[in-house]
Amino acid sequence: ENVLTQSPDTLSLSPGERATLSCRASETVYTSLAWYQQKPGQSPRLLIFDASRRASGIPARFSGSGSGTDFTLTISSLEPEDFAVYFCQHRSNWLGTFGQGTRLEIK
Amino acid sequence: QVQLVQSGPEVKEPGDSVRISCKASGYTFSSYYLHWVRQAPGQGLEWVGVINPSDGSVSYAQKFQGRVTLTRSPSTSTVHMDLSSLRSDDTAVYYCARDLTAVTSFWLDPWGQGALVTVSS
């Protein structure tokens, strides 16, 4: 089973700062990786798929990069509404797997 | 617009079974796979399984094999998740989510509003 490990568990930053979130796979996933944002009391929302493609309606300040086993979600300049929990996800052999999540909190 | 509307919260006792429904609208039901994901209180996301609404074929996470069954009702554009032999650690919000693309990608967008299942004696 391919395990996704996100780091850090919690990231404390201020609005306007740059956020860098990491997702590492235990085996290569090539570019088969997505990122989701979840705010309290809401359903998750797809941000990035295929490692670097922005989903419809997602602001340009969100970007994804990486391939193989190491991936990064970058938020170039944090807006107040960006403070949330972020999950990465992989798909393989007709199974889905999520990372444990990174909580992005206001410093 | 594409919308997934789930059935309401459920309270069950250990050993019971539960059925959660997810009604799709705004697109061709048979063209997109539908997934189920759950989230225990304060925890992360856990993929449960996926169904092809066109032919009913399914794939389940190994953890749920033998306890979960996904079915669909094309006439009502609804998919159902049945989970049996409920335990307290099955307490969670259960989400349905549509595949992003008609050629299945496992990228999930959009999501239903979630249905809370509480298992308690």
Side-chain angles (χ1 to χ4, degrees), chain B residues 39-56:
Chain B
Q39 186 171 37
Q43 302 301 308
L45 302 173
E46 185 172 30
W47 186 83
V48 175
V50 61
I51 184 167
N52 178 354
S54 178
D55 63 8

Side-chain angles (χ1 to χ4, degrees), chain A residues 10-37:
Chain A
T10 303
L11 183 60
S12 300
L13 294 170
S14 301
E17 290 193 292
R18 181 185 187 89
T20 303
L21 288 67
S22 174
C23 178
R24 174 165 290 178
S26 59
E27 304 169 12
T28 182
V29 301
Y30 304 97
T31 57
S32 295
L33 193 99
W35 291 93
Y36 298 82
Q37 176 194 66

Side-chain angles (χ1 to χ4, degrees), chain B residues 95-118:
Chain B
Y95 294 101
C96 62
R98 199 198 74 171
D99 210 290
L100 177 65
T101 56
V103 177
T104 189
S105 63
F106 269 60
W107 309 141
L108 309 181
D109 181 61
W111 294 58
Q113 83 275 21
L116 175 62
V117 175
T118 303

Side-chain angles (χ1 to χ4, degrees), chain B residues 45-110:
Chain B
L45 302 173
E46 185 172 30
W47 186 83
V48 175
V50 61
I51 184 167
N52 178 354
S54 178
D55 63 8
S57 57
V58 295
S59 176
Y60 303 129
Q62 185 172 10
K63 174 177 181 176
F64 300 100
Q65 290 272 4
R67 284 209 302 141
V68 69
T69 304
L70 301 183
T71 56
R72 91 285 191 215
S73 300
S75 62
T76 59
S77 299
T78 302
V79 296
H80 309 279
M81 186 195 76
D82 292 292
L83 187 62
S84 62
S85 303
L86 289 169
R87 308 184 288 256
S88 57
D89 62 359
D90 290 317
T91 294
V93 175
Y94 288 78
Y95 294 101
C96 62
R98 199 198 74 171
D99 210 290
L100 177 65
T101 56
V103 177
T104 189
S105 63
F106 269 60
W107 309 141
L108 309 181
D109 181 61

Side-chain angles (χ1 to χ4, degrees), chain A residues 57-80:
Chain A
I58 302 304
R61 64 181 182 274
F62 290 91
S63 64
S65 62
S67 65
T69 60
D70 291 298
F71 298 86
T72 300
L73 174 69
T74 302
I75 311 171
S76 59
S77 179
L78 285 165
E79 297 287 342

